[in-house]
Amino acid sequence: MQTLKGRLEDERMLTGRGRYVSDWNLSNQAYAHFLRSDHAHATIVSIDASAALAHPGVLAVLTGEDVERAGYKSLPAALPAKGRGGMELINPGRPALAQGRVRFAGDAVAIVVADSAAAAQDAAELVAVEYESLPAVVSALDALAPGAPLVHEDVPGNVVMDYETGDEVATRAAFARAAKTVKLTVDNTRVVGNPMEPRACLAAYDAAGGMYHLYACTQGAPTMRGQLSAVLGVPPEKIRVIAEEVGGGFGVRFNLYPEYCAALLAAKTLDRPVKWVGTRSEVFLADEQARDVASRSELALDESGRIIGMRFDLVSNLGAYLAPTGPFVNTIAVVNCLSGVYDVKAAAYARIRLALTNTAPLAAYRGAGRPVMSYALERVVDQAAVELKMDPAELRRRSLIPKNAFPYKIASGFEYDCGDFEGVLDDALKAADWQGFEKRRAESAQRERLRGRGMATFIESTGAGFAPKDQVEVRWDGDGGLTLYGPTHSHGQGHETTYAQIVSAVLGVPMESVRLRTAGADFYLVGNATGGSRSLLAVGSIMQLAAHEVVKKGLKLAADELEAAEADIEFRAGRYRIKGTDRSVTLLALAKQFAGATPHPLDVQYENKFGSTYPNGCHIAEVEIAPETGDAEIVSYVACDDAGNIINHQIVEGQVQGGVTQGAGQVFGELAVYDRESGQLLTGSFMDYAMPRAVLVNGLKLVEHPVPTATNPLGAKGVGEAGVTGSMPALMNAVMDALRTAGVTHFDMPASPHRLWQAISAAKAGDPRALAIVDLPAAQ
Ligand code: MCN
C-alpha cells in the first residue's frame, strides 16, 4: 500500500486553501445574528421587535412564533431502547427558536436578518424582550432533588429516562458472595467541545425546485439532512447539506442545531440566502456540551482479588433540551462495554438516570459515552487495588477476559468479537517500565515532587451507526483521476488520505489522483456521519469493496480491448494482462478512453453496513505534582492500543495523541461552570476555560498491538476516540496515586493547580476528601 510523507489534505489546509463555512458566499445574501436569552430560566412575556425592524438595513426579525407558524417541528431526539419498567424516553421538544419560555442562558430567542452582519448585531440589541425570571437548576443532582424547579412542566422530576441494563439478580448474587466490595463515587465533569471553527451556516431556499440548501459545519451531510427533514417536514431528497472543510467536530458538529433551522426559515421567508457566522462566545454558550455524569461504581471481588461482579449508578445532566444524540450517548453508548475488559460474565448491572437542567444541551463528545464508562470502571478498579494493597496491574490481570473466550457476550447484551487483553497489558507494562517506578518515584521525591502512576485497561465499542446502510460512489473524472463520494465527513481525521490509500491499493492508480467529496449540492448519498470512530471500518471497508467492483467492471472492458476471454485475464498492480503473455492494458488507460462520459462505464455505486468493533488498550501515565504550588505535569505516557489492522500509522498516531491530549485537557483544567444561583455560565471564554496546550502530554510512547477483526474486510477497528477513553482514567489514577502520598484519599477532576493545592492543604488539615463529589442521591 502506498504511503505519503504527509496527508493528501495537508498542503491545501496549510496553505490557506481550505474552504470553511464562512468562506462560502451566495449572491444577494443577507446576514443573521441571534438574540440569545440572558436568563437561565424565564417566561417570555413579550417580544417587541419594532425598534429593531426600523434599524437601517434590517430585513426581518423572526421569533418562536414564526417558527410555529411555519409548522417547523421539534428537533428530533430518540432512544432505541426502553427504560425501567418499560419507560419511554420523554422528549419535551426543542423548537428552532424559544417559544414562551427560555431554558438556558444562551437559548436563541430571535433571529435578526439584515443587509450586513453588523446591522443585524446592532439591531438585535434593539429587540425588547420582557422576561419573567424563574428559578433555575444547573446540576443533575440538584435537578433530581425533591421540589427542584422543573425545566419542562411535562417532565416529572426532571428525569427524561430511567435506564437500566445488565443482570441485576446475577450481580446481586455476586456481591452477596464477595470477599470484598469496593465503592467509589466520581464526577465526570462538564466540558465544552470547542472545535477550532465556531459554528456557522449559509442557508438558501430554491422556491422553483422546493430545495433547501444548507452550508454548515457538519460531521456528515446525510445525518444532518435526515434531522432537518424531521424539523422541516420535507423529504430528505429536498435538502442538500454542503460542506468542504469543517474545522473540527469532536462530536459537537454531529447534530443539527436550532440556529440552522431558523436560518433556513429566514432564507425562505426573505427569498434570499442568509449567512450566520457564530462567535467563540456562542460556542461556549450554545454549542452542545459534554460529559457531566456523576457515577457511583461498586466492585465485588473474591478472596484472590478477582473481580466477580460490578454495578454502576449514573446520573447524567442532559441540559435544557434533548440534543438528537444526547439520550443515546448517555445510555447505550455508555453500557456497550459495561464490564470493560473483565470476565464477570452476567454479573454486571448499570442504572442511568438522564436529568434535564437549565444548561446548554449535552450530546456526543469524543468517546461519546465510552469515556464515562471507562472512567467510572477504571477509577474503582484502582481504588480496589489500593484497598486490597495489590499491584493494580496484577489485580487487572487476574480478571481479564482470556484470549480464547471470544466471542464474549457481556451483561448488557453486546458481544466482543476478539482481543488479546493480556498481551496488550504486557506490552504496555514493558513500554512503561512498570517495575522501575519506585526508583523514579524516589528520584522525584528528592526534587520534592509527588510522583504518581496510573493505568487504565479499557475497551470501546466503535462503529455503531444510526443509518441503515452506508453508500459510496466511485466516479471517474475527465482527467483520468477519480473522485470518491462518501457519507462521512473528514474534519481532521485524514479520510482523504486513508480512503485514497485503500482505493489506490486495489486499483493500482496513484493516490494523488484520488479525490474525496462528502457533502455537495450535486450528489445525494445515504449513510452515517463521522462518529463512533466508524469511518474507516465502515465506509473505508465499503470503499475497498467498491474498488473491487471497479476492477470487475474494468475486466469486461479489458476483455474487449485485449480481445480475450475474461477468464484468461488477470489484474495486478493496475494492469489487466492476458495470463502468461505480455499483452496488457492498464485500468487507467481504459478509464481514459471514456473520459468525460456520464456515466462513465467504470463508475460504481456501492453500499453495505459494517457494525461494531471493539478496540481496546492499556494506557499507563506517570505524573508529578509540586505540592507547594499544585502544578502537575505528565512526565510519561504509554498508549498501547489494539486498533486491528492499521491503514495509516502516522494518522493513527495523530489520532491517539489528539485523543490522549483531549482527555488530559479535561483531567487537568477544562471545566464548564454554571453559577448555582443565577444559572449563568461562568466559564464563557478562553480566559476562564483552560484549553489544553500541545505541551501538556510529555513523554508519549505509542505501541501497537493489533488483533485484526473479522467483522469487516479491512480487519480494522476504530481508533479516533481511543486516546480519550484511555487517558481520562489513566491520568486521574496517576493523579490519585500521587495525591495519596500526601494523604488525599478522594479527589475529582479537574486537577488544576489550585484544586490540587487545596486538596493537599485540606488533607494536611485532616480532610482527605475535601475536593471530591458527595455521593449520589439514592435511586427510588
Ligand atoms: N485509521 C487507520 N487504521 C485503523 C483505524 C483508523 O488508519 N485501524 C485511520 C482512519 O482511516 C482515519 C483515522 O484513522 O483516517 C480515524 O479513523 P476512525 O477510527 O475510523 O475514526 P473516524 O474517522 O470515524 O473519526 C471519528 C473520531 C471521532 S468519533 C471524533 S469525535 C474525532 C476523532 O475521530 N474527532 C476529531 N478524531 C478527530 N480528529 C480531529 N483532528 N478532529 C476531530 O474533530
Side-chain angles (χ1 to χ4, degrees):
M1 203 173 276
Q2 206 184 336
T3 46
L4 296 175
K5 277 225 180 79
R7 302 180 305 173
L8 289 175
E9 48 270 77
D10 288 347
E11 195 193 334
R12 183 181 71 245
M13 287 199 245
L14 292 172
T15 54
R17 285 181 292 124
R19 190 146 53 149
Y20 294 83
V21 179
S22 66
D23 295 325
W24 293 95
N25 292 294
L26 294 174
S27 67
N28 197 33
Q29 72 194 17
Y31 298 84
H33 185 89
F34 285 93
L35 175 68
R36 297 185 181 280
S37 165
D38 48 12
H39 289 251
H41 197 189
T43 305
I44 302 174
V45 179
S46 64
I47 301 177
D48 179 0
S50 50
L53 285 165
H55 188 76
V58 171
L59 302 166
V61 177
L62 303 182
T63 66
E65 283 181 14
D66 299 289
V67 169
E68 198 172 6
R69 216 170 293 128
Y72 279 26
K73 303 197 179 59
S74 157
L75 265 76
L79 182 65
K82 289 192 176 19
R84 277 167 72 89
M87 181 183 181
E88 297 273 0
L89 177 74
I90 307 174
N91 180 7
R94 181 181 194 185
L97 294 167
Q99 291 169 355
R101 200 148 140 190
V102 288
R103 291 186 167 86
F104 70 98
D107 211 352
V109 174
I111 179 171
V112 181
V113 188
D115 280 338
S116 72
Q121 183 171 1
D122 287 347
E125 291 186 13
L126 302 174
V127 179
V129 186
E130 194 189 328
Y131 293 107
E132 209 165 84
S133 210
L134 295 167
V137 60
V138 297
S139 98
L141 298 188
D142 286 348
L144 293 187
L150 288 185
V151 180
H152 292 263
E153 299 299 341
D154 46 358
V155 181
N158 291 316
V159 175
V160 289
M161 171 50 73
D162 187 351
Y163 178 81
E164 67 175 348
T165 189
D167 188 333
E168 196 175 7
V169 175
T171 307
R172 206 177 300 127
F175 275 81
R177 67 172 192 277
K180 164 89 184 158
T181 61
V182 180
K183 182 166 99 173
L184 186 70
T185 302
V186 295
D187 188 18
N188 203 320
T189 47
R190 177 181 276 242
V191 291
V192 179
N194 268 313
M196 185 172 60
E197 182 188 20
R199 246 175 334 119
C201 71
L202 174 56
Y205 179 69
D206 164 19
M211 291 288 297
Y212 292 85
H213 291 260
L214 180 72
Y215 300 73
C217 310
T218 180
Q219 289 180 213
T223 300
M224 200 168 273
R225 207 168 41 218
Q227 294 173 346
L228 265 172
S229 162
V231 175
L232 304 181
V234 300
E237 298 79 24
K238 290 281 175 200
I239 302 163
R240 289 290 182 274
V241 174
I242 301 136
E244 284 184 8
E245 246 65 80
V246 170
F250 305 113
V252 297
R253 296 288 178 264
F254 189 95
N255 287 323
L256 175 66
Y257 278 90
E259 288 89 347
Y260 300 163
C261 307
L264 280 168
L265 177 61
K268 189 174 178 185
T269 307
L270 293 170
D271 194 20
R272 275 177 82 166
V274 171
K275 183 170 179 171
W276 169 63
V277 179
T279 61
R280 180 60 54 186
S281 300
E282 288 177 295
V283 168
F284 277 102
L285 277 177
D287 266 18
E288 290 165 356
Q289 300 185 354
R291 314 278 192 243
D292 206 347
V293 182
S295 60
R296 184 176 49 232
S297 320
E298 292 170 272
L299 289 186
L301 301 108
D302 69 12
E303 306 71 26
S304 68
R306 232 185 73 77
I307 303 169
I308 55 168
M310 53 181 73
R311 65 183 165 218
F312 305 91
D313 189 359
L314 283 75
V315 176
S316 305
N317 182 345
L318 291 199
Y321 305 98
L322 298 185
T325 51
F328 177 85
V329 159
N330 281 283
T331 51
I332 296 170
V334 173
V335 302
N336 53 21
C337 293
L338 175 63
S339 39
V341 290
Y342 306 112
D343 185 13
V344 294
K345 305 205 168 58
Y349 172 79
R351 177 162 181 189
I352 307 178
R353 284 167 287 172
L354 307 184
L356 295 182
T357 63
N358 297 108
T359 61
L362 269 86
Y365 178 62
R366 204 168 192 170
R370 288 101 73 196
V372 168
M373 190 69 242
S374 69
Y375 192 73
L377 174 53
E378 287 300 301
R379 291 273 331 263
V380 76
V381 170
D382 252 38
Q383 181 68 25
V386 170
E387 292 185 21
L388 290 167
K389 297 190 177 54
M390 267 178 82
D391 176 344
E394 182 51 32
L395 186 141
R396 286 175 169 88
R397 187 188 298 280
R398 287 185 193 174
S399 301
L400 294 177
I401 298 168
K403 207 172 162 178
N404 60 6
F406 297 98
Y408 185 93
K409 195 160 188 163
I410 59 170
S412 53
F414 293 82
E415 190 172 88
Y416 304 161
D417 64 308
C418 65
D420 172 20
F421 304 150
E422 194 161 11
V424 168
L425 173 68
D426 283 337
D427 282 1
L429 292 175
K430 198 163 151 223
D433 183 23
W434 185 259
Q435 299 305 341
F437 174 70
E438 288 307 332
K439 202 166 146 223
R440 294 191 291 280
R441 176 176 258 180
E443 188 275 328
S444 298
Q446 278 176 6
R447 290 183 285 107
E448 294 179 6
R449 296 286 184 276
L450 313 174
R451 193 173 187 116
R453 174 182 66 175
M455 70 158 36
T457 45
F458 66 95
I459 184 162
E460 293 193 277
S461 171
T462 64
F466 301 106
K469 60 187 175 187
D470 290 303
Q471 284 179 330
V472 310
E473 279 184 28
V474 181
R475 287 195 212 160
W476 291 82
D477 307 322
D479 60 2
L482 62 157
T483 302
L484 309 176
Y485 294 79
T488 45
H489 197 277
S490 184
H491 38 276
Q493 296 90 346
H495 297 166
E496 225 164 304
T497 302
T498 43
Y499 292 171
Q501 273 179 273
I502 292 166
V503 170
S504 88
V506 176
L507 301 183
V509 298
M511 269 179 72
E512 293 79 356
S513 67
V514 184
R515 288 174 279 259
L516 175 66
R517 292 193 56 207
T518 52
D522 58 338
F523 65 96
Y524 180 90
L525 291 175
V526 171
N528 290 284
T530 298
S533 298
R534 67 184 308 284
S535 300
L536 176 73
L537 69 95
V539 175
S541 290
I542 301 171
M543 292 281 182
Q544 190 189 50
L545 296 176
H548 286 298
E549 285 302 306
V550 171
V551 173
K552 268 194 224 161
K553 278 187 144 188
L555 185 60
K556 287 194 177 57
L557 301 184
D560 288 346
E561 179 73 16
L562 298 171
E563 295 175 337
E566 286 179 29
D568 295 335
I569 298 174
E570 62 186 7
F571 180 78
R572 210 176 298 151
R575 188 175 284 277
Y576 295 94
R577 184 189 306 274
I578 302 177
K579 289 175 197 162
T581 75
D582 59 359
R583 290 191 48 222
S584 68
V585 61
T586 63
L587 174 70
L588 215 51
L590 291 172
K592 280 186 180 161
Q593 280 180 19
F594 296 91
T598 42
H600 190 284
L602 292 176
D603 284 354
V604 162
Q605 195 187 67
Y606 206 78
E607 62 185 45
N608 207 322
K609 181 157 187 188
F610 294 103
S612 300
T613 67
Y614 293 90
N616 56 88
C618 175
H619 289 197
I620 300 175
E622 290 187 21
V623 302
E624 271 189 353
I625 298 170
E628 295 303 314
T629 61
D631 252 330
E633 197 186 342
I634 302 168
V635 287
S636 74
Y637 195 101
V638 167
C640 177
D641 284 286
D642 165 14
N645 287 333
I646 286 175
I647 300 299
N648 186 311
H649 295 270
Q650 185 189 25
I651 287 179
V652 166
E653 235 175 70
Q655 285 292 307
V656 175
Q657 184 170 7
V660 167
T661 308
Q662 210 161 325
Q666 183 174 354
V667 168
F668 289 101
E670 289 184 64
L671 181 66
V673 183
Y674 284 87
D675 182 62
R676 205 172 178 197
E677 287 301 308
S678 67
Q680 295 293 329
L681 178 67
L682 300 180
T683 51
S685 80
F686 285 139
M687 294 298 287
D688 328 286
Y689 186 94
M691 284 296 278
R693 310 280 167 99
V695 292
L696 181 58
V697 183
N698 302 298
L700 180 65
K701 222 190 260 181
L702 302 175
V703 183
E704 291 172 6
H705 188 103
V707 179
T709 173
T711 57
N712 63 67
L714 295 173
K717 302 175 182 176
V719 82
E721 297 158 289
V724 75
T725 306
S727 71
M728 285 173 51
L731 286 164
M732 264 308 281
N733 282 340
V735 168
M736 275 312 305
D737 189 44
L739 285 178
R740 278 190 204 99
T741 63
V744 178
T745 59
H746 291 77
F747 179 79
D748 272 303
M749 296 187 287
S752 59
H754 186 221
R755 284 176 56 85
L756 286 170
W757 178 83
Q758 278 181 310
I760 293 166
S761 308
K764 260 191 219 157
D767 184 357
R769 47 185 313 157
L771 274 86
I773 188 178
V774 290
D775 205 359
L776 269 60
Q780 304 301 312

Short mmCIF file of all heavy atoms in Angstrom, two decimals, residues 34 57 62 74 132 276 358 415 455 515 526 636 696 730:
data_model
loop_
_atom_site.label_atom_id
_atom_site.label_comp_id
_atom_site.label_asym_id
_atom_site.label_seq_id
_atom_site.Cartn_x
_atom_site.Cartn_y
_atom_site.Cartn_z
N PHE A 34 -28.14 36.11 16.14
CA PHE A 34 -29.13 35.52 17.05
C PHE A 34 -29.18 36.31 18.36
O PHE A 34 -28.15 36.58 18.97
CB PHE A 34 -28.81 34.05 17.33
CG PHE A 34 -29.17 33.18 16.17
CD1 PHE A 34 -28.23 32.86 15.20
CD2 PHE A 34 -30.48 32.72 16.00
CE1 PHE A 34 -28.58 32.08 14.09
CE2 PHE A 34 -30.84 31.95 14.90
CZ PHE A 34 -29.89 31.64 13.94
N GLY A 57 -31.15 48.79 7.29
CA GLY A 57 -30.61 47.54 6.75
C GLY A 57 -31.31 46.30 7.25
O GLY A 57 -31.06 45.20 6.74
N LEU A 62 -37.32 37.26 13.22
CA LEU A 62 -38.20 36.11 13.38
C LEU A 62 -38.05 35.55 14.80
O LEU A 62 -36.95 35.54 15.35
CB LEU A 62 -37.86 35.00 12.37
CG LEU A 62 -37.88 35.37 10.89
CD1 LEU A 62 -37.55 34.14 10.03
CD2 LEU A 62 -39.23 35.96 10.47
N SER A 74 -40.21 20.00 16.30
CA SER A 74 -39.12 20.00 17.27
C SER A 74 -37.88 19.31 16.69
O SER A 74 -38.00 18.45 15.81
CB SER A 74 -39.59 19.22 18.50
OG SER A 74 -38.52 18.72 19.22
N GLU A 132 -39.93 37.05 32.58
CA GLU A 132 -40.28 36.87 33.99
C GLU A 132 -39.42 35.73 34.49
O GLU A 132 -39.58 34.58 34.05
CB GLU A 132 -41.75 36.49 34.10
CG GLU A 132 -42.38 36.94 35.40
CD GLU A 132 -43.90 36.86 35.24
OE1 GLU A 132 -44.41 35.75 35.44
OE2 GLU A 132 -44.50 37.87 34.85
N TRP A 276 -24.89 33.06 8.58
CA TRP A 276 -24.62 33.31 10.00
C TRP A 276 -23.25 32.74 10.36
O TRP A 276 -22.98 31.59 10.06
CB TRP A 276 -25.69 32.66 10.88
CG TRP A 276 -25.34 32.66 12.34
CD1 TRP A 276 -25.15 33.73 13.15
CD2 TRP A 276 -25.09 31.50 13.17
NE1 TRP A 276 -24.81 33.33 14.43
CE2 TRP A 276 -24.77 31.97 14.47
CE3 TRP A 276 -25.12 30.11 12.93
CZ2 TRP A 276 -24.49 31.11 15.52
CZ3 TRP A 276 -24.83 29.25 14.00
CH2 TRP A 276 -24.51 29.76 15.28
N ASN A 358 -31.13 23.60 33.57
CA ASN A 358 -31.12 24.85 32.80
C ASN A 358 -29.71 25.17 32.31
O ASN A 358 -29.10 26.18 32.70
CB ASN A 358 -31.68 25.99 33.65
CG ASN A 358 -33.13 25.76 34.02
OD1 ASN A 358 -33.46 25.46 35.17
ND2 ASN A 358 -34.00 25.85 33.04
N GLU A 415 -21.53 -8.00 22.22
CA GLU A 415 -20.61 -9.14 22.09
C GLU A 415 -19.27 -8.68 21.54
O GLU A 415 -19.19 -8.16 20.42
CB GLU A 415 -21.23 -10.18 21.15
CG GLU A 415 -20.47 -11.49 21.15
CD GLU A 415 -21.22 -12.58 20.38
OE1 GLU A 415 -21.00 -12.66 19.16
OE2 GLU A 415 -22.01 -13.31 20.99
N MET A 455 -2.99 3.54 35.59
CA MET A 455 -3.24 2.80 34.36
C MET A 455 -4.73 2.67 34.11
O MET A 455 -5.55 2.84 35.00
CB MET A 455 -2.58 1.43 34.38
CG MET A 455 -3.21 0.45 35.33
SD MET A 455 -2.86 -1.29 34.90
CE MET A 455 -1.22 -1.29 34.29
N ARG A 515 -9.59 11.71 -5.31
CA ARG A 515 -10.13 12.81 -4.51
C ARG A 515 -11.28 12.29 -3.65
O ARG A 515 -11.84 11.23 -3.93
CB ARG A 515 -10.64 13.93 -5.42
CG ARG A 515 -9.53 14.71 -6.10
CD ARG A 515 -10.12 15.69 -7.10
NE ARG A 515 -10.44 15.00 -8.33
CZ ARG A 515 -9.68 15.04 -9.43
NH1 ARG A 515 -8.57 15.75 -9.44
NH2 ARG A 515 -10.02 14.39 -10.52
N VAL A 526 -26.85 8.14 1.02
CA VAL A 526 -27.41 7.76 2.31
C VAL A 526 -26.26 7.19 3.13
O VAL A 526 -25.38 6.50 2.60
CB VAL A 526 -28.50 6.68 2.10
CG1 VAL A 526 -28.95 6.09 3.43
CG2 VAL A 526 -29.67 7.26 1.33
N SER A 636 5.31 10.96 31.73
CA SER A 636 5.38 9.92 30.70
C SER A 636 4.00 9.36 30.46
O SER A 636 3.14 9.37 31.35
CB SER A 636 6.36 8.82 31.09
OG SER A 636 5.79 8.01 32.09
N LEU A 696 1.09 19.71 27.00
CA LEU A 696 0.54 19.10 28.21
C LEU A 696 0.98 17.64 28.38
O LEU A 696 1.24 17.19 29.50
CB LEU A 696 -1.00 19.19 28.16
CG LEU A 696 -1.76 18.62 29.35
CD1 LEU A 696 -1.36 19.30 30.64
CD2 LEU A 696 -3.27 18.79 29.14
N ALA A 730 -6.63 6.77 33.12
CA ALA A 730 -5.21 6.52 33.41
C ALA A 730 -4.60 7.74 34.11
O ALA A 730 -3.87 7.61 35.10
CB ALA A 730 -4.46 6.22 32.11
#
